[in-house]
Amino acid sequence: MMILAVMMVMTISANAMSYNAAKHEALFLSDKMAYELNLTAAQYEAVYEINLDYLMSLNGHGDVFGIWWDRRNADLRFVLNSWQYDKYITLAHFYRPVAWKAGGWTFAVYSRYDRGHFYNAHPKVFVTYRGGNSHRDPRFYADRHMPKPAMHHNAPAVHRHAPAPAPHHGKPAVAHNDRYGSERHMAMNTNRGNGGHFGRR
């Protein structure tokens, strides 16, 4: 069982993470946060930016829970509702998404989700955003207006396109058969009476 868990974790052997690697890891992580935290489309965009900034700030073991991890949490507190943030800090694969082990970056989200399976389309900023919002202004997201879901944290989230994530030994929740940088086939559905929620009724 322990061997299986280790195999589920993705590791990148490097010191500083390249922009290209960081953007794809940020995309995968943010997509799963959008799914589990019921993010609106605007929140999803911001969460992607925040995750990318954090990942691009990593240069070694000392950075994993350093100043930029603190900044990530502060930014997410501005972006998320209180119930979303309360849930976020209980989910280790989101709250502590990266570890430095055996000279490489290890991503906890792969212990729960299969690589290559996405619930949402790319955020619009995936192509254009190259990082830096958090570095330029620590209150950047505090002053940024965005719609947030009103759903109470005890109410079940309903995903429009896919069931709950399947375990690794079963069928994947959503299959796109894609590579990094390819187009996802899931529409945002933000204009169909869902209050701007990503992939949700």
Side-chain angles (χ1 to χ4, degrees), residues 1-23:
M1 192 68 178
M2 180 64 73
I3 295 174
L4 180 62
V6 171
M7 290 174 63
M8 291 178 184
V9 178
M10 173 68 178
T11 301
I12 293 179
S13 296
N15 285 329
M17 200 178 302
S18 71
Y19 166 70
N20 203 43
K23 72 182 288 191

Side-chain angles (χ1 to χ4, degrees), residues 54-65:
Y54 169 65
L55 294 178
M56 289 180 66
S57 299
L58 300 179
N59 291 295
H61 179 271
D63 296 324
V64 174
F65 300 120

Side-chain angles (χ1 to χ4, degrees), residues 13-116:
S13 296
N15 285 329
M17 200 178 302
S18 71
Y19 166 70
N20 203 43
K23 72 182 288 191
H24 294 301
E25 296 302 340
L27 175 66
F28 191 85
L29 176 61
S30 302
D31 177 79
K32 306 311 172 286
M33 291 177 69
Y35 177 79
E36 291 201 49
L37 300 177
N38 194 31
L39 302 184
T40 65
Q43 285 179 312
Y44 181 42
E45 300 276 324
V47 165
Y48 170 77
E49 294 172 356
I50 292 166
N51 284 331
L52 180 62
D53 280 355
Y54 169 65
L55 294 178
M56 289 180 66
S57 299
L58 300 179
N59 291 295
H61 179 271
D63 296 324
V64 174
F65 300 120
I67 184 173
W68 296 115
W69 183 72
D70 291 335
R71 176 65 61 79
R72 174 179 182 255
N73 290 328
D75 287 342
L76 288 174
R77 188 179 287 277
F78 292 132
V79 168
L80 303 177
N81 275 348
S82 59
W83 64 262
Q84 288 175 313
Y85 190 85
D86 289 345
K87 182 175 181 180
Y88 156 73
I89 63 177
T90 68
L91 300 172
H93 53 290
F94 294 157
Y95 187 57
R96 299 177 182 272
V98 184
W100 176 265
K101 296 180 180 178
W105 302 113
T106 299
F107 299 87
V109 71
Y110 293 105
S111 67
R112 180 173 173 84
Y113 292 95
D114 290 327
R115 173 174 288 280

Side-chain angles (χ1 to χ4, degrees), residues 164-186:
H168 283 263
H169 58 271
K171 264 187 164 182
V174 179
H176 292 295
N177 192 28
D178 66 333
R179 299 283 294 177
Y180 283 149
S182 66
E183 290 297 322
R184 276 30 174 205
H185 300 291
M186 308 296 283

